[in-house]
Amino acid sequence: MSERIDVGGGDEDPEAAELRSGLVTLVLSLVEIVDEALEREAVRRMESGELDPEEIERLGTHLATLNEEITELERRENVEDSVAELRGQLDGVVDDALTGLDEDPAAKTLEDDHTHD
Amino acid sequence: MSGPKPTRDQGDLAEMLETLLDKGVVINADIAVSVGDTELLGVKLRAAVASFETAAEYGLEFPGGTDMDRVKRAADVERLPEDGEGVSDVLLEDRDRLPEEDASGTPAEDAESRERDDATDPAESTDASESVAPESTTDE
Amino acid sequence: MTDAERDATDDADATDPAGASEDDAQYLYCLVSTDEDAVLDVDGVEDESVSVLATDGVGAVTSPAPETVESDSELAVKRLLVAHQRVVDAAMDAYGAPLPVRATTAIDGDADAVRAWLGARADVVRAELDSLAGHREYHVTVSWDDDAATAAAHDADDDLDDLRAAVDAASPGESYLRERQYESAVADAVAEVEGALAADARERVAGVARSVVDRESADGVSFADGSADAVVRLAALTAVDDEAALGDALDDIADRNGVTVKFTGPWAPYSFAPDLGDGGDGE
């Protein structure tokens, strides 16, 4: 990745720094997700035989480099933990959405039945 | 060869507390009220237990003044119940050492609650008045 | 939220056996099988006195409810739940398996209001209590350490060794992709052997217990140690007399390499509480 993305927030301003950190976390989390999707697709194509050895080598090298750069960027911006946490939370959201499909929407809780007359 | 016997130590209890909010008979009658927001309580409990256990595990630094013994106890039982004692008895000991509330709210409790909030989320605002329980309830 | 309502229905003080006045709601812990009123020797929520209000062969275990609980205070939350568990425990010791009520429940009104509510559904409650008599809830959590599970996956799936070899044999670029391929295959294979272990555990427990249900992990936050490695979490309704047999059934699983079995209880049967069919038609 040769382009710079300037999100501001120098060391002097702690609030801006925190905002920057949050933004960087979000961006790199998404980059990780896309990167992993690319890798899965590459493996699929390799397994299916549609790639010749040279293409496999090139693709693998490219993805390996990408992966290294993402890791290095996270380390430099100090967001390794926050990225891991955000991705964990996103997994949770997806899980909830999926299990929510099974649940009975009519199931009541005490709060629901609490009348205010 | 006989199998394992079931246990009921502090860690087991922590897991059970979650069950108390999720399971059990639900009273849907008009006459039933709820003491506190059940869902919020559930979330808070999970955060509290997780923050204690995690922090104690990793030996995290709490802000100065935190009673690390209490943190440790919350994460790991200090002693197991002896013969003839129930889990409740051990917990009562723990409970007795919790800060007492008086009418004005003790600084110790405020500080502790604030510290716990800090431990779980440094960005969370630490409003002391939020963490003091209602005045009329206990009378120690 | 409910203070205004409670004030409006204030029914004066005299009939509350706990002796507290001006209490507009009764915190409800559980329902038990009994013919007479009693005071339990245990402190309730906010250290209030705990009474058993009997009507028609069943009893409600209650204490004067606090006006509110600070949801923001983790301390208050933990205190309430610990008190709740403590009282249900004491009731279980005194009366046998109770019908546990979900935490934070209170009945609007005084002791008479509770009796009236309970009396209206005494038959159903008595039947449920009779059904639960002599039973307890036990929790079983089976965990499998990563390395041991991976080893078991390798044993079960021959292809994995070949994939692993391909990683080492390939040129750098291809090796990277082969590594990803291997990781994915291992993950699938581990999921499969873990599924088999879970099924085995469920079957063994079901062989002893009267009823078995899964305990869902809430929001991915773990309470107990090592539940990140948990393969299955079960709640089992079991006759007290069968407790040892349940332990025995778990023995063979616990013997497996890298497998830990956590067996807790006896608890009150929270996970098996029936629907009392209250649906808003209560009195």
Side-chain angles (χ1 to χ4, degrees):
Chain A
M1 292 195 292
S2 50
E3 285 145 13
R4 287 187 77 85
I5 303 176
D6 186 358
V7 292
D11 290 328
E12 328 80 36
D13 181 350
E15 232 182 71
E18 203 177 310
L19 200 56
R20 169 203 176 86
S21 178
L23 192 55
V24 169
T25 295
L26 184 58
V27 169
L28 289 179
S29 297
L30 294 174
V31 170
E32 266 195 13
I33 290 171
V34 169
D35 176 52
E36 283 169 21
L38 289 174
E39 284 177 359
R40 277 196 298 276
E41 179 60 16
V43 168
R44 193 194 63 76
R45 290 196 194 181
M46 174 176 73
E47 280 172 341
S48 75
E50 38 185 290
L51 302 173
D52 64 46
E54 198 188 294
E55 286 170 325
I56 293 175
E57 182 62 22
R58 221 171 348 118
L59 194 48
T61 305
H62 184 88
L63 288 169
T65 307
L66 186 57
N67 187 257
E68 259 174 54
E69 289 181 350
I70 294 172
T71 305
E72 178 52 34
L73 197 48
E74 287 183 14
R75 204 176 0 241
R76 212 173 343 123
E77 293 290 336
N78 209 4
V79 294
E80 290 147 298
D81 290 341
S82 56
V83 165
E85 197 189 322
L86 176 57
R87 291 200 59 189
Q89 286 170 1
L90 289 174
D91 283 345
V93 167
V94 170
D95 281 346
D96 284 350
L98 290 175
T99 48
L101 294 174
D102 290 333
E103 274 162 11
D104 176 6
K108 290 185 182 180
T109 64
L110 194 56
E111 285 302 303
D112 291 344
D113 262 18
H114 187 187
T115 57
H116 285 272
D117 323 282
Chain B
M1 170 166 69
S2 77
K5 300 232 175 318
T7 59
R8 288 182 31 136
D9 60 30
Q10 181 95 337
D12 303 332
L13 182 77
E15 195 182 63
M16 192 58 189
L17 296 186
E18 173 190 339
T19 307
L20 302 185
L21 285 173
D22 286 341
K23 306 286 178 196
V25 171
V26 176
I27 313 269
N28 285 334
D30 291 345
I31 200 177
V33 300
S34 174
V35 179
D37 180 331
T38 306
E39 261 188 51
L40 189 55
L41 286 178
V43 170
K44 279 293 174 181
L45 175 71
R46 283 188 269 278
V49 175
S51 69
F52 278 127
E53 288 185 351
T54 306
E57 246 174 47
Y58 294 105
L60 287 184
E61 289 284 324
F62 277 80
T66 307
D67 183 342
M68 288 308 295
D69 282 342
R70 183 173 296 112
V71 172
K72 185 169 188 302
R73 269 203 299 284
D76 190 9
V77 66
E78 189 141 297
R79 69 179 186 85
L80 294 175
E82 317 273 20
D83 283 338
E85 276 187 335
V87 168
S88 300
D89 298 320
V90 178
L91 282 175
L92 275 171
E93 285 181 24
D94 184 54
R95 187 176 66 94
D96 288 343
R97 290 187 209 132
L98 292 173
E100 301 301 344
E101 301 160 22
D102 58 29
S104 59
T106 59
E109 181 182 359
D110 288 354
E112 187 183 57
S113 297
R114 215 178 295 125
E115 278 147 14
R116 286 200 200 133
D117 286 340
D118 287 345
T120 52
D121 179 6
E124 198 175 280
S125 74
T126 52
D127 181 1
S129 65
E130 281 185 294
S131 52
V132 175
E135 307 170 354
S136 57
T137 48
T138 58
D139 181 26
E140 309 285 346
Chain C
M1 160 173 50
T2 63
D3 288 0
E5 283 183 72
R6 290 211 195 111
D7 287 342
T9 57
D10 185 358
D11 253 358
D13 22 31
T15 50
D16 186 339
S21 59
E22 294 274 323
D23 285 309
D24 298 317
Q26 308 304 316
Y27 188 95
L28 186 59
Y29 300 88
C30 59
L31 307 176
V32 296
S33 191
T34 184
D35 287 315
E36 33 184 68
D37 284 4
V39 171
L40 282 188
D41 186 16
V42 65
D43 288 339
V45 169
E46 302 291 334
D47 289 338
E48 294 279 7
S49 162
V50 177
S51 314
V52 181
L53 309 174
T55 181
D56 208 5
V58 290
V61 179
T62 69
S63 67
E67 285 198 10
T68 182
V69 168
E70 287 293 331
S71 308
D72 286 342
S73 165
E74 291 164 0
L75 202 62
V77 169
K78 192 175 175 190
R79 264 201 184 120
L80 179 142
L81 294 178
V82 165
H84 186 108
Q85 162 61 20
R86 174 170 75 225
V87 171
V88 171
D89 224 28
M92 190 160 75
D93 284 344
Y95 299 100
L99 265 192
V101 170
R102 196 164 92 165
T104 75
T105 306
I107 300 274
D108 220 358
D110 58 12
D112 283 348
V114 175
R115 286 186 215 273
W117 172 83
L118 184 55
R121 45 195 52 71
D123 289 343
V124 169
V125 171
R126 218 179 307 112
E128 296 290 352
L129 283 168
D130 286 346
S131 167
L132 289 174
H135 290 72
R136 298 287 185 272
E137 174 167 328
Y138 296 88
H139 289 177
V140 173
T141 306
V142 179
S143 304
W144 206 353
D145 133 313
D146 254 358
D147 290 341
T150 303
H154 270 267
D155 286 343
D157 186 345
D158 291 332
D159 293 340
L160 292 181
D161 288 331
D162 295 338
L163 289 176
R164 177 80 247 176
V167 174
D168 297 328
S171 48
E174 181 181 337
S175 177
Y176 182 78
L177 292 178
R178 291 293 172 194
E179 178 90 50
R180 292 288 166 265
Q181 184 187 31
Y182 170 70
E183 281 170 2
S184 174
V186 162
D188 288 346
V190 166
E192 203 170 308
V193 293
E194 283 183 348
L197 177 61
D200 187 21
R202 263 194 212 95
E203 201 179 303
R204 285 168 189 273
V205 171
V208 176
R210 187 171 105 184
S211 178
V212 185
V213 297
D214 277 299
R215 284 156 39 229
E216 312 90 38
S217 203
D219 300 351
V221 169
S222 66
F223 276 130
D225 296 330
S227 70
D229 280 346
V231 162
V232 68
R233 295 160 39 115
L234 304 170
L237 183 66
T238 310
V240 178
D241 294 340
D242 289 339
E243 186 181 288
L246 187 49
D248 288 344
L250 298 174
D251 221 13
D252 286 340
I253 307 178
D255 268 352
R256 288 210 223 165
N257 187 27
V259 174
T260 328
V261 175
K262 192 163 149 113
F263 180 29
T264 72
W267 309 107
Y270 272 90
S271 306
F272 303 93
D275 178 0
L276 287 190
D278 257 5
D281 60 340
E283 309 181 328

